[in-house]
Amino acid sequence: MSPAPDHRLETAKPLSTARTRPTPARPAWSRLAKSLRAQVEKWRTVLVSLLSFSLLLLLWQVGAKTINIPALFPTPLDVKQEALRLAASGDLAQHIRASMLRILVGFALGSAVAVPTGLLMGNLRLVRTFLEAYIEFFRYIPALSLVTLAMIWFGIGEASKVFLITYGTVFIVTVNMIAGIVSIPAAKLRAARSLGANQVQLFIYVTLPASI
């Protein structure tokens, strides 16, 4: 007796036909509607931000008028008038230049300390173990809490202000450089070594770009 034919083999269809079926193109109106929705969402975000800022100015104006102490809590209009007066007299530009100079000097001094420290801590485990406790302790002390000490140590001139900016810069730059060096994939280091890179080339072309 011969076996009964298997009808499943006769009705089976190749899988390749389902995969090669072309995907119907999206109609033009569907793409246009999607673009319009994106534009509407963008402008709605802008309008909500402007409304929030306008509400803040309104609350500021009402609160300042209610308190009625211009020397401590001026209105937005008073601030605008004073800013225009300072800009017209040149005092505003002078203050901006002085502040920018303090920031640049403080950032330069802080980076001069933080860059080599971060490079050493990121590359040498012994240095990182030795200094990590101090970095983790002092970086959580805000610079504003040292204002009194800075004035006692350096006086009320420029030196105390530059010191506070330098203090805040050191820990930010150090921690970011360590994080950049530690996050370098080991495969990238092995690939550079396999291509013949020495320690100096490895530092210049792999470690240093990752830490910036």
Side-chain angles (χ1 to χ4, degrees):
M1 180 181 296
S2 60
D6 192 354
H7 297 286
R8 291 177 297 177
L9 298 177
E10 298 177 359
T11 58
K13 295 182 180 180
L15 297 176
S16 59
T17 57
R19 295 177 181 176
T20 57
R21 183 178 299 173
T23 303
R26 299 179 63 182
W29 64 266
S30 178
R31 294 194 297 270
L32 179 61
K34 183 177 180 180
S35 176
L36 289 176
R37 284 196 299 268
Q39 291 294 329
V40 169
E41 184 66 24
K42 176 182 177 181
W43 283 107
R44 186 173 64 179
T45 303
V46 173
L47 291 176
V48 170
S49 301
L50 291 176
L51 179 62
S52 174
F53 186 70
S54 301
L55 182 60
L56 175 63
L57 290 178
L58 179 61
L59 292 176
W60 181 5
Q61 179 72 23
V62 173
K65 285 293 186 181
T66 303
I67 297 175
N68 197 21
I69 307 178
L72 298 178
F73 195 16
T75 65
L77 296 178
D78 294 336
V79 173
K80 176 185 175 183
Q81 292 175 359
E82 185 65 17
L84 293 177
R85 187 189 67 79
L86 291 174
S89 63
D91 293 337
L92 183 61
Q94 181 180 357
H95 294 319
I96 291 175
R97 284 195 300 268
S99 298
M100 292 301 297
L101 181 62
R102 294 189 200 107
I103 293 172
L104 291 176
V105 172
F107 183 80
L109 293 175
S111 298
V113 176
V115 169
T117 304
L119 290 174
L120 290 174
M121 293 181 67
N123 287 284
L124 303 177
R125 184 179 297 274
L126 179 62
V127 177
R128 184 164 67 248
T129 304
F130 183 77
L131 296 177
E132 189 173 16
Y134 302 101
I135 296 295
E136 291 297 328
F137 177 79
F138 284 105
R139 77 187 184 100
Y140 288 108
I141 300 177
L144 290 177
S145 65
L146 301 177
V147 170
T148 304
L149 288 177
M151 293 175 64
I152 295 174
W153 292 340
F154 303 101
I156 60 174
E158 294 293 319
S160 60
K161 303 178 182 67
V162 172
F163 166 76
L164 293 174
I165 298 173
T166 302
Y167 174 84
T169 302
V170 166
F171 301 106
I172 296 174
V173 176
T174 301
V175 171
N176 279 278
M177 293 199 69
I178 296 172
I181 295 173
V182 172
S183 63
I184 298 176
K188 183 179 291 187
L189 297 174
R190 289 195 299 267
R193 292 192 183 98
S194 66
L195 293 174
N198 54 31
Q199 290 297 327
V200 176
Q201 293 172 331
L202 197 67
F203 173 77
I204 294 175
Y205 297 107
V206 179
T207 303
L208 191 58
S211 63
I212 297 177

